[in-house]
PDB file of all heavy atoms in Angstrom:
ATOM      1  N   THR A  34      -0.373   9.741  -7.942  1.00  0.00           N
ATOM      2  CA  THR A  34      -1.606  10.016  -8.685  1.00  0.00           C
ATOM      3  C   THR A  34      -1.668  11.261  -9.501  1.00  0.00           C
ATOM      4  O   THR A  34      -2.683  11.718  -9.963  1.00  0.00           O
ATOM      5  CB  THR A  34      -2.756  10.098  -7.620  1.00  0.00           C
ATOM      6  OG1 THR A  34      -2.403  11.092  -6.621  1.00  0.00           O
ATOM      7  CG2 THR A  34      -3.083   8.853  -6.942  1.00  0.00           C
ATOM      8  N   ILE A  42     -17.151  11.117 -11.925  1.00  0.00           N
ATOM      9  CA  ILE A  42     -18.113  12.135 -12.263  1.00  0.00           C
ATOM     10  C   ILE A  42     -18.743  11.996 -13.678  1.00  0.00           C
ATOM     11  O   ILE A  42     -18.054  11.423 -14.605  1.00  0.00           O
ATOM     12  CB  ILE A  42     -17.463  13.479 -12.174  1.00  0.00           C
ATOM     13  CG1 ILE A  42     -16.587  13.584 -11.036  1.00  0.00           C
ATOM     14  CG2 ILE A  42     -18.475  14.546 -12.026  1.00  0.00           C
ATOM     15  CD1 ILE A  42     -15.999  14.826 -10.549  1.00  0.00           C
ATOM     16  N   SER A 110     -11.071  21.516   0.490  1.00  0.00           N
ATOM     17  CA  SER A 110     -10.837  22.100   1.810  1.00  0.00           C
ATOM     18  C   SER A 110     -12.027  22.076   2.739  1.00  0.00           C
ATOM     19  O   SER A 110     -11.948  22.446   3.818  1.00  0.00           O
ATOM     20  CB  SER A 110     -10.364  23.567   1.638  1.00  0.00           C
ATOM     21  OG  SER A 110     -11.325  24.391   1.027  1.00  0.00           O
ATOM     22  N   GLU A 149     -32.156  26.014  14.445  1.00  0.00           N
ATOM     23  CA  GLU A 149     -32.081  26.430  15.830  1.00  0.00           C
ATOM     24  C   GLU A 149     -32.530  25.307  16.774  1.00  0.00           C
ATOM     25  O   GLU A 149     -31.819  25.004  17.742  1.00  0.00           O
ATOM     26  CB  GLU A 149     -32.978  27.623  15.994  1.00  0.00           C
ATOM     27  CG  GLU A 149     -32.862  28.169  17.496  1.00  0.00           C
ATOM     28  CD  GLU A 149     -33.701  29.412  17.646  1.00  0.00           C
ATOM     29  OE1 GLU A 149     -33.498  30.430  16.926  1.00  0.00           O
ATOM     30  OE2 GLU A 149     -34.663  29.424  18.443  1.00  0.00           O
ATOM     31  N   LEU A 177      -9.923  20.427   6.586  1.00  0.00           N
ATOM     32  CA  LEU A 177      -9.412  19.167   5.967  1.00  0.00           C
ATOM     33  C   LEU A 177      -7.986  19.120   5.677  1.00  0.00           C
ATOM     34  O   LEU A 177      -7.591  18.727   4.537  1.00  0.00           O
ATOM     35  CB  LEU A 177     -10.290  18.907   4.649  1.00  0.00           C
ATOM     36  CG  LEU A 177     -11.702  18.658   4.801  1.00  0.00           C
ATOM     37  CD1 LEU A 177     -12.520  18.499   3.513  1.00  0.00           C
ATOM     38  CD2 LEU A 177     -12.095  17.434   5.683  1.00  0.00           C
ATOM     39  N   GLY A 188     -26.791   5.460   1.758  1.00  0.00           N
ATOM     40  CA  GLY A 188     -27.644   4.437   2.366  1.00  0.00           C
ATOM     41  C   GLY A 188     -27.434   4.273   3.870  1.00  0.00           C
ATOM     42  O   GLY A 188     -26.450   4.729   4.290  1.00  0.00           O
ATOM     43  N   ILE A 208      -4.110  11.512   8.356  1.00  0.00           N
ATOM     44  CA  ILE A 208      -2.808  10.859   8.160  1.00  0.00           C
ATOM     45  C   ILE A 208      -2.213  10.693   9.564  1.00  0.00           C
ATOM     46  O   ILE A 208      -2.070  11.583  10.313  1.00  0.00           O
ATOM     47  CB  ILE A 208      -1.891  11.630   7.255  1.00  0.00           C
ATOM     48  CG1 ILE A 208      -2.426  11.790   5.804  1.00  0.00           C
ATOM     49  CG2 ILE A 208      -0.539  11.015   7.158  1.00  0.00           C
ATOM     50  CD1 ILE A 208      -1.673  12.532   4.901  1.00  0.00           C
ATOM     51  N   PHE A 242       7.464   5.549  19.392  1.00  0.00           N
ATOM     52  CA  PHE A 242       6.739   6.807  19.724  1.00  0.00           C
ATOM     53  C   PHE A 242       6.909   7.762  18.525  1.00  0.00           C
ATOM     54  O   PHE A 242       8.065   8.141  18.211  1.00  0.00           O
ATOM     55  CB  PHE A 242       7.221   7.382  21.014  1.00  0.00           C
ATOM     56  CG  PHE A 242       6.414   8.572  21.417  1.00  0.00           C
ATOM     57  CD1 PHE A 242       4.986   8.596  21.623  1.00  0.00           C
ATOM     58  CD2 PHE A 242       6.978   9.829  21.623  1.00  0.00           C
ATOM     59  CE1 PHE A 242       4.244   9.646  21.964  1.00  0.00           C
ATOM     60  CE2 PHE A 242       6.230  10.988  21.954  1.00  0.00           C
ATOM     61  CZ  PHE A 242       4.819  10.789  22.187  1.00  0.00           C
ATOM     62  N   ASN A 267     -17.606  43.034   5.780  1.00  0.00           N
ATOM     63  CA  ASN A 267     -17.812  41.996   4.721  1.00  0.00           C
ATOM     64  C   ASN A 267     -18.169  40.660   5.285  1.00  0.00           C
ATOM     65  O   ASN A 267     -18.209  40.516   6.572  1.00  0.00           O
ATOM     66  CB  ASN A 267     -16.506  42.006   3.853  1.00  0.00           C
ATOM     67  CG  ASN A 267     -15.361  41.788   4.623  1.00  0.00           C
ATOM     68  OD1 ASN A 267     -15.216  40.913   5.464  1.00  0.00           O
ATOM     69  ND2 ASN A 267     -14.254  42.565   4.355  1.00  0.00           N
ATOM     70  N   ALA A 278      -1.093  14.893  16.780  1.00  0.00           N
ATOM     71  CA  ALA A 278      -1.368  13.466  16.979  1.00  0.00           C
ATOM     72  C   ALA A 278      -0.085  12.689  17.481  1.00  0.00           C
ATOM     73  O   ALA A 278       1.012  13.067  16.992  1.00  0.00           O
ATOM     74  CB  ALA A 278      -1.828  12.900  15.573  1.00  0.00           C
ATOM     75  N   PHE A 319     -45.368  41.235   8.929  1.00  0.00           N
ATOM     76  CA  PHE A 319     -45.420  42.520   8.291  1.00  0.00           C
ATOM     77  C   PHE A 319     -46.466  42.685   7.312  1.00  0.00           C
ATOM     78  O   PHE A 319     -46.806  43.684   6.796  1.00  0.00           O
ATOM     79  CB  PHE A 319     -44.136  42.910   7.634  1.00  0.00           C
ATOM     80  CG  PHE A 319     -43.043  43.168   8.679  1.00  0.00           C
ATOM     81  CD1 PHE A 319     -42.205  42.194   9.102  1.00  0.00           C
ATOM     82  CD2 PHE A 319     -42.887  44.453   9.218  1.00  0.00           C
ATOM     83  CE1 PHE A 319     -41.239  42.331  10.081  1.00  0.00           C
ATOM     84  CE2 PHE A 319     -41.840  44.591  10.177  1.00  0.00           C
ATOM     85  CZ  PHE A 319     -41.015  43.568  10.582  1.00  0.00           C
ATOM     86  N   SER A 377     -17.954  22.268  21.425  1.00  0.00           N
ATOM     87  CA  SER A 377     -18.159  23.306  20.332  1.00  0.00           C
ATOM     88  C   SER A 377     -18.895  24.450  20.815  1.00  0.00           C
ATOM     89  O   SER A 377     -19.560  24.387  21.860  1.00  0.00           O
ATOM     90  CB  SER A 377     -18.983  22.618  19.272  1.00  0.00           C
ATOM     91  OG  SER A 377     -20.227  22.160  19.701  1.00  0.00           O
ATOM     92  N   ASP A 398     -26.017  32.362  21.356  1.00  0.00           N
ATOM     93  CA  ASP A 398     -24.710  31.913  21.960  1.00  0.00           C
ATOM     94  C   ASP A 398     -24.915  30.488  22.450  1.00  0.00           C
ATOM     95  O   ASP A 398     -25.786  30.307  23.377  1.00  0.00           O
ATOM     96  CB  ASP A 398     -24.480  32.839  23.208  1.00  0.00           C
ATOM     97  CG  ASP A 398     -23.078  32.690  23.798  1.00  0.00           C
ATOM     98  OD1 ASP A 398     -22.381  31.785  23.222  1.00  0.00           O
ATOM     99  OD2 ASP A 398     -22.798  33.362  24.791  1.00  0.00           O
ATOM    100  N   ALA A 479     -25.970   1.600  22.622  1.00  0.00           N
ATOM    101  CA  ALA A 479     -26.109   0.732  21.549  1.00  0.00           C
ATOM    102  C   ALA A 479     -25.246  -0.552  21.722  1.00  0.00           C
ATOM    103  O   ALA A 479     -24.192  -0.451  22.216  1.00  0.00           O
ATOM    104  CB  ALA A 479     -25.920   1.374  20.221  1.00  0.00           C
ATOM    105  N   THR A 495     -24.036 -11.889   4.641  1.00  0.00           N
ATOM    106  CA  THR A 495     -23.746 -11.057   5.823  1.00  0.00           C
ATOM    107  C   THR A 495     -25.034 -10.708   6.518  1.00  0.00           C
ATOM    108  O   THR A 495     -26.009 -10.441   5.860  1.00  0.00           O
ATOM    109  CB  THR A 495     -23.078  -9.749   5.388  1.00  0.00           C
ATOM    110  OG1 THR A 495     -21.797 -10.111   4.750  1.00  0.00           O
ATOM    111  CG2 THR A 495     -22.881  -8.842   6.588  1.00  0.00           C
ATOM    112  N   ASN A 610     -42.119  26.389  11.648  1.00  0.00           N
ATOM    113  CA  ASN A 610     -42.407  27.433  12.649  1.00  0.00           C
ATOM    114  C   ASN A 610     -43.543  28.318  12.087  1.00  0.00           C
ATOM    115  O   ASN A 610     -43.806  28.461  10.987  1.00  0.00           O
ATOM    116  CB  ASN A 610     -41.177  28.218  13.010  1.00  0.00           C
ATOM    117  CG  ASN A 610     -40.657  29.004  11.893  1.00  0.00           C
ATOM    118  OD1 ASN A 610     -41.153  29.008  10.752  1.00  0.00           O
ATOM    119  ND2 ASN A 610     -39.634  29.946  12.141  1.00  0.00           N
ATOM    120  N   PHE A 661     -42.993  12.780  -1.119  1.00  0.00           N
ATOM    121  CA  PHE A 661     -43.768  12.495   0.019  1.00  0.00           C
ATOM    122  C   PHE A 661     -45.031  11.636  -0.314  1.00  0.00           C
ATOM    123  O   PHE A 661     -45.840  12.130  -1.197  1.00  0.00           O
ATOM    124  CB  PHE A 661     -44.314  13.829   0.660  1.00  0.00           C
ATOM    125  CG  PHE A 661     -43.275  14.507   1.384  1.00  0.00           C
ATOM    126  CD1 PHE A 661     -42.814  15.745   0.893  1.00  0.00           C
ATOM    127  CD2 PHE A 661     -42.852  14.194   2.682  1.00  0.00           C
ATOM    128  CE1 PHE A 661     -41.937  16.520   1.610  1.00  0.00           C
ATOM    129  CE2 PHE A 661     -41.788  14.903   3.357  1.00  0.00           C
ATOM    130  CZ  PHE A 661     -41.377  16.096   2.743  1.00  0.00           C
ATOM    131  N   THR A 685     -33.439  17.939  -3.084  1.00  0.00           N
ATOM    132  CA  THR A 685     -33.168  16.486  -3.723  1.00  0.00           C
ATOM    133  C   THR A 685     -33.328  16.703  -5.301  1.00  0.00           C
ATOM    134  O   THR A 685     -34.321  16.302  -5.810  1.00  0.00           O
ATOM    135  CB  THR A 685     -34.129  15.467  -3.264  1.00  0.00           C
ATOM    136  OG1 THR A 685     -35.477  15.801  -3.470  1.00  0.00           O
ATOM    137  CG2 THR A 685     -34.006  15.262  -1.728  1.00  0.00           C
ATOM    138  N   GLY A 702      11.504  17.045 -16.894  1.00  0.00           N
ATOM    139  CA  GLY A 702      11.798  15.932 -15.967  1.00  0.00           C
ATOM    140  C   GLY A 702      10.902  15.934 -14.699  1.00  0.00           C
ATOM    141  O   GLY A 702      11.054  15.129 -13.836  1.00  0.00           O
ATOM    142  N   ASN A 703       9.909  16.963 -14.634  1.00  0.00           N
ATOM    143  CA  ASN A 703       9.142  17.077 -13.414  1.00  0.00           C
ATOM    144  C   ASN A 703       7.647  16.655 -13.746  1.00  0.00           C
ATOM    145  O   ASN A 703       7.196  16.958 -14.911  1.00  0.00           O
ATOM    146  CB  ASN A 703       9.127  18.476 -12.949  1.00  0.00           C
ATOM    147  CG  ASN A 703      10.576  18.876 -12.545  1.00  0.00           C
ATOM    148  OD1 ASN A 703      11.197  18.243 -11.593  1.00  0.00           O
ATOM    149  ND2 ASN A 703      11.049  19.954 -13.065  1.00  0.00           N
ATOM    150  N   ARG A 708      -6.325  19.620 -15.217  1.00  0.00           N
ATOM    151  CA  ARG A 708      -7.493  18.989 -14.917  1.00  0.00           C
ATOM    152  C   ARG A 708      -8.686  19.776 -15.116  1.00  0.00           C
ATOM    153  O   ARG A 708      -8.675  20.992 -14.606  1.00  0.00           O
ATOM    154  CB  ARG A 708      -7.380  18.353 -13.452  1.00  0.00           C
ATOM    155  CG  ARG A 708      -8.546  18.304 -12.643  1.00  0.00           C
ATOM    156  CD  ARG A 708      -8.096  17.986 -11.271  1.00  0.00           C
ATOM    157  NE  ARG A 708      -9.260  17.880 -10.320  1.00  0.00           N
ATOM    158  CZ  ARG A 708      -9.751  16.697 -10.039  1.00  0.00           C
ATOM    159  NH1 ARG A 708      -9.204  15.598 -10.315  1.00  0.00           N
ATOM    160  NH2 ARG A 708     -10.804  16.599  -9.229  1.00  0.00           N
ATOM    161  N   GLY A 723     -40.759  26.162  -0.584  1.00  0.00           N
ATOM    162  CA  GLY A 723     -40.570  25.964  -2.048  1.00  0.00           C
ATOM    163  C   GLY A 723     -41.512  24.866  -2.534  1.00  0.00           C
ATOM    164  O   GLY A 723     -42.081  25.025  -3.675  1.00  0.00           O
ATOM    165  N   ILE A 743     -21.319  23.988 -13.665  1.00  0.00           N
ATOM    166  CA  ILE A 743     -20.177  24.831 -13.422  1.00  0.00           C
ATOM    167  C   ILE A 743     -18.859  24.037 -13.890  1.00  0.00           C
ATOM    168  O   ILE A 743     -18.950  22.760 -13.927  1.00  0.00           O
ATOM    169  CB  ILE A 743     -19.929  25.300 -12.024  1.00  0.00           C
ATOM    170  CG1 ILE A 743     -19.825  24.123 -11.025  1.00  0.00           C
ATOM    171  CG2 ILE A 743     -21.128  26.212 -11.615  1.00  0.00           C
ATOM    172  CD1 ILE A 743     -19.448  24.644  -9.623  1.00  0.00           C
TER     173      ILE A 743
END
Side-chain angles (χ1 to χ4, degrees):
T34 52
I42 323 189
S110 62
E149 182 177 301
L177 297 175
I208 298 177
F242 184 60
N267 52 50
F319 292 90
S377 58
D398 193 355
T495 298
N610 64 358
F661 286 108
T685 58
N703 300 304
R708 147 192 182 99
I743 61 171

